[in-house]
Amino acid sequence: MSNVLVFIEISSTGKISNTAPALLAAAAKLGTPVAVVATAPGAGAGLTDELGALGAARIYVGESDAVGTLLVSPQLEALSAAAAALEPAAVLVSNSVDGREVAARLAVRTRGGLIADAVDVRSDDGKIIATHSAFGGAYTVESTVEAGLPILTIRQGAIEDQASPAAPEVTTVSLAVDAHNSAVIDEVNDPVVDSERPELRGAAKVVSGGRGLGSKEKFVLVEQLADALGAAVGASRAAVDAGYVPQTSQVGQTGVTVSPQLYVALGISGAIQHRAGMQTAKTIVAINKDADAPIFDVADFGIVGDVFTVVPQLIDAIEARAN
Amino acid sequence: MKIVVLVKQVPDTEWERKLEPATGLLDRLTGENVADEINERALEVALRYKDSHKGTEVVVLSMGPASTTKALRKALSMGADSAVHILDDALAGADVGWTAEVLAAALKDSSFDLVIAGNESTDGRGGVVPAMVAEHLGLPFLGSLNSAEISEQSVSGERRGEVGTLTAHASLPAVVSVTERSAEARFANFKGIMMAKRKPLATVSLRDLGVDPAALAGTGRSVVMTASQRPARTAGKKIIDEGNAGIELAEFLVAGRLI
Ligand SMILES: Cc1cc2nc3c(=O)[nH]c(=O)nc-3n(C[C@H](O)[C@H](O)[C@H](O)COP(=O)(O)OP(=O)(O)OC[C@H]3O[C@@H](n4cnc5c(N)ncnc54)[C@H](O)[C@@H]3O)c2cc1C
Ligand SMILES: Nc1ncnc2c1ncn2[C@@H]1O[C@H](COP(=O)(O)O)[C@@H](O)[C@H]1O
C-alpha cells in the first residue's frame, strides 16, 4: 500500500495535537499512515509509542533547532523532506492555523493539488476523493485532484474514527531550515490551564451564548448550563466582539463549525452567519426574548423567554434529575 | 512603502449562497457579490498605516470575473490609491493553486514592501491562498494576525493559534494575513466614492502577466465532482415562557435522551 503522510502538530508544551487520531484514521483508509513531525533534536523519541497507538505505521521525524522559533518553517521542511523521500499517494494535514500554512506551502513546492476543509476522504480506484460540507452544510460537495500530489486539509472534529495501533518504524533526519524567508516567533501565549470542559470542535453537546447575555459576568450562565449538560461552550461573534469569551469559542461562518447531537443557543438572534456554523446539529434548542428571532427558524425546540429565568430553572431540573 | 491588499469578491453572506448543480462551481452571477468583509479589514490595516505615513501607496489586487470591479471600486472609495483586476476566461474554474500562482505572477515585479490578505475567504474557507502566494514569491509569511504593526523594515503582531496566541515578526518584504479581530473597516464617504471614479483600475490578462494557461494546467488542481443540496431545516416546536419553560425544556431533553 502506498504511503499517506500525516502532518502531526506538536503543541508548545510538546504534546501531540488532538487532531492526530482523526488524521491517522483518515490516512489508514487511503494507505499506510506515516506520521511526520518536526521536533527539536532528540525530542522525537518520546512520541513513538503514542503515535503508534494512534495507528502510525511509520514515523518520520525532522529535527531542527528552529522548532519553536521559526514560524511553521521547520514543519514545512519536515513534510517536504518526507514527501521527497517517501513518494506518498497523499498528504493529510489538519485544517488548523499552522496546518493550512504548511499544506499551502507544500502544495506550491510539489506543484500538487490542494483540497481544503475536507470532512471525509475515501479512495476510489486509487483516486482520492474528498467530501466537503459547504455553506454551513447547505451543500455536500465531492472533490478530487486532477494532477499532482493530493494535499488535503481536514476539518477539525469532522472525523471520529481511530486507526488500529501499529508498531512504528522511526526515521530521523536533520533539517536545514532557511531563516531568511520565515517569520520569527517572539512569544507563545498559550493558556496554562486546560479547561475540564469538552472541546468545542467535535463536542457532542454545545451551549452557546450571544449578545443577549449582556456582560462577561452574566455569560457565566452559559457556562453553568454547559457544565450541567457536560457540554462545550460556544458563542456568537457579537459575544466574542464584546469580550465575553475568547475568540476560539466563536461558532459560525468565520468561527468554528459544529455538528453536535445537541446545540443550545442562548440570547443569540441566529444571523445567517451564525447558523452557518451550527445548523447541521442534530437537535437545536433556542431561548430568545424576541419571538421573531431567526434562530427559531432552525430550532427543534424554541422558547420565547428570558434566559435569566428559563436557564436557572432548566439547570435546577437537570440537577434534580441527576440526584 | 507600497502595500498591496488582496481582495476577493464573494457572494454576500447575508443571503443564501448557491452552487451550480451541473458544475458544482460557485454561482457568482445571481445574488449580491461584495468584497469579502475580511478583505475590507485587510485594507483598513493598510489604510491606517497610510494615514500616519505620508507617501504610502496602497494597491488592491483581485482575480475574478468581470463583476469584480465592483469590489475594487469599493476598495478605492475607502481609500486605496489604485486597483488591479486580473480577468481572463482561462481562469474560469481556477482553484486555490491556480489563483495563488496568478496572484504571485501579478505581484512578482510590482516592487511592493508588504502584501496583506484575509486569513480565510467566506466562500471557499480555504485559508491557503496567502501562504501559497508567499511560497511562490519566496517570502516570509505571517498568517492569521489579530493585530498587525507595520514599520519600515518589518511587520509584527499577534497571531491566532488553536488554543492561544503568539507574537511574531517578519522582515519586509513579506506577506501577511489578518483575522476578523483586526481593524474594523471604515465606511466609504461621499467624497471617497466620487474620487474612486477617477482612480486607476487596470485590467490585466494572463498574457499581460506572462502566464501561459497551458503551464497552469500542468499544476495540480482540485476539481469538484459532485454537489448536492441538503434540504433546509424546518422549525419545530416553539413555546412562550409562562413560568414553566425551563421544566418543559428539561422534559424535551429527557425525551430525546439528551440528558
Ligand atoms: C462576514 C461575516 C462573518 C460573520 N461570522 C459570524 C460568525 O462566525 N458567528 C457569528 O455568530 N456571527 C457572525 N457574523 C455576525 C452576525 O451577522 C451577527 O451579527 C451575530 O451573529 C449576532 O450575534 P448575536 O446573535 O449574539 O447578537 P444579536 O444579533 O444582537 O442578538 C442578541 C439576541 O439576544 C436576545 N436577547 C437579549 N436579551 C435576552 C435575554 N435576557 N433573554 C433572551 N434573549 C435575549 C435578543 O432578542 C437578540 O435576538 C458574521 C458577519 C459577517 C458579515
Ligand atoms: N481571487 C482572489 N483575488 C484576490 N485575492 C484573493 C483571491 N482569492 C483569495 N485571495 C486572498 O486570499 C485570502 C484567503 O483566501 P482563501 O485562501 O481562498 O480562503 C482572501 O481573503 C484574499 O485576501
Side-chain angles (χ1 to χ4, degrees):
Chain A
M1 272 208 298
S2 40
N3 289 321
V4 175
L5 304 187
V6 171
F7 169 54
I8 305 291
E9 291 180 51
I10 307 289
S11 76
S12 56
T13 53
K15 284 214 193 81
I16 293 172
S17 161
N18 61 3
T19 59
L23 291 175
L24 287 163
K29 293 207 282 180
L30 306 176
T32 306
V34 181
V36 181
V37 288
T39 67
L47 306 171
T48 314
D49 290 349
E50 195 178 341
L51 290 172
L54 296 174
R58 190 163 177 176
I59 304 176
Y60 191 92
V61 182
E63 294 188 334
S64 164
D65 288 327
V67 170
T69 34
L70 293 184
L71 188 60
V72 176
S73 301
Q75 289 76 10
L76 172 63
E77 293 304 336
L79 207 52
S80 292
L86 301 174
E87 292 178 31
V91 180
L92 305 185
V93 170
S94 168
N95 190 20
S96 61
V97 176
D98 286 358
R100 288 166 161 194
E101 292 179 11
V102 169
R105 297 191 84 135
L106 183 73
V108 173
R109 286 193 179 184
T110 58
R111 290 178 66 81
L114 183 58
I115 289 183
D117 200 22
V119 295
D120 203 2
V121 289
R122 67 191 157 90
S123 172
D124 189 357
D125 251 349
K127 198 172 179 155
I128 286 167
I129 297 169
T131 309
H132 305 260
S133 175
F135 298 153
Y139 288 86
T140 301
V141 176
E142 283 188 326
S143 73
T144 190
V145 161
E146 251 179 11
L149 173 64
I151 299 169
L152 292 83
T153 71
I154 310 289
R155 184 179 288 182
Q156 297 180 56
I159 295 174
E160 280 174 5
D161 313 342
Q162 190 144 349
S164 13
E169 176 193 323
V170 183
T171 309
T172 304
V173 299
S174 166
L175 304 171
V177 184
D178 181 7
H180 172 75
N181 60 2
S182 179
V184 179
I185 300 170
D186 296 313
E187 200 182 329
V188 177
N189 310 310
D190 286 342
V192 202
V193 278
D194 279 42
S195 158
E196 299 272 297
R197 284 193 195 106
E199 249 214 88
L200 182 54
R201 285 190 168 100
K205 295 176 190 170
V206 176
V207 179
S208 284
R211 185 159 25 211
L213 271 296
S215 70
K216 188 177 169 136
E217 292 67 40
K218 291 200 266 178
F219 198 88
V220 170
L221 185 67
V222 176
E223 293 162 9
Q224 287 165 346
L225 179 57
D227 292 343
L229 288 168
V233 171
S236 70
R237 181 162 96 172
V240 171
D241 284 347
Y244 303 169
V245 271
Q247 204 279 323
T248 42
S249 309
Q250 184 174 320
V251 171
Q253 171 68 55
T254 43
V256 174
T257 304
V258 296
S259 215
Q261 293 296 311
L262 174 66
Y263 188 87
V264 182
L266 304 177
I268 292 178
S269 61
I272 190 165
Q273 296 94 347
H274 185 79
R275 297 198 316 257
M278 45 64 79
Q279 65 196 5
T280 58
K282 188 108 192 297
T283 300
I284 297 175
V285 170
I287 306 176
N288 195 306
K289 275 205 290 211
D290 173 7
D292 297 324
I295 192 72
F296 290 125
D297 298 344
V298 296
D300 300 289
F301 194 95
I303 297 173
V304 181
D306 190 326
V307 291
F308 298 105
T309 55
V310 179
V311 175
Q313 190 179 54
L314 171 62
I315 294 173
D316 286 347
I318 295 169
E319 280 169 1
R321 231 188 99 77
N323 296 330
Chain B
M1 163 106 47
K2 179 170 173 183
I3 303 176
V4 182
V5 178
L6 301 183
V7 174
K8 187 180 189 189
Q9 176 162 285
V10 297
D12 195 337
T13 58
E14 288 295 331
W15 308 102
E16 189 193 340
R17 295 167 290 170
K18 291 204 158 66
L19 296 178
E20 287 172 21
T23 59
L25 294 179
L26 188 59
D27 177 353
R28 293 188 188 273
L29 299 175
T30 54
E32 191 68 12
N33 290 296
V34 295
D36 210 348
E37 189 206 52
I38 196 67
N39 297 140
E40 293 191 8
R41 290 178 189 265
L43 176 59
E44 180 65 31
V45 170
L47 292 176
R48 285 188 191 174
Y49 184 79
K50 182 180 155 82
D51 287 345
S52 53
H53 295 80
K54 289 267 165 309
T56 304
E57 182 189 356
V58 177
V59 181
V60 283
L61 170 65
S62 188
M63 177 191 120
S67 62
T68 302
T69 45
K70 199 182 129 208
L72 290 173
R73 286 281 173 218
K74 171 91 187 282
L76 292 173
S77 66
M78 285 171 66
D81 297 297
S82 63
V84 178
H85 178 194
I86 307 166
L87 174 69
D88 201 306
D89 289 342
L91 290 169
D95 72 334
V96 286
W98 283 22
T99 303
E101 195 162 340
V102 171
L103 291 172
L107 287 163
K108 195 168 48 114
D109 300 318
S110 70
S111 62
F112 61 86
D113 299 285
L114 178 63
V115 175
I116 310 181
N119 68 325
E120 160 184 313
S121 55
T122 49
D123 55 356
R125 294 208 71 176
V128 287
V129 167
M132 294 179 107
V133 168
E135 183 69 23
H136 275 293
L137 298 170
L139 293 179
F141 179 64
L142 186 44
S144 292
L145 291 178
N146 291 333
S147 64
E149 209 145 310
I150 304 165
S151 74
E152 284 292 322
Q153 281 83 35
S154 71
V155 56
S156 60
E158 180 189 87
R159 168 184 164 88
R160 165 198 292 185
E162 293 304 320
V163 285
T165 58
L166 56 78
T167 51
H169 71 271
S171 52
L172 300 185
V175 180
V176 303
S177 76
V178 298
T179 72
E180 62 181 346
R181 303 265 79 75
S182 70
E184 177 105 36
R186 66 192 61 191
F187 287 103
N189 57 24
F190 181 71
K191 184 169 159 242
I193 293 165
M194 293 317 288
M195 273 170 64
K197 295 190 173 142
R198 291 193 299 276
K199 286 181 178 169
L201 192 165
T203 304
V204 297
S205 65
L206 286 184
R207 178 194 291 249
D208 295 331
L209 296 177
V211 176
D212 177 4
L216 268 188
T219 314
R221 176 168 69 136
S222 57
V223 287
V224 173
M225 300 164 63
T226 61
S228 54
Q229 195 165 7
R230 277 209 221 156
R233 234 189 144 95
T234 49
K237 185 173 174 177
K238 182 159 118 188
I239 62 166
I240 294 171
D241 180 29
E242 277 158 355
N244 217 21
I247 290 162
E248 283 182 62
L249 175 51
E251 284 162 5
F252 171 83
L253 295 175
V254 170
R257 296 171 189 275
L258 291 161
I259 44 176

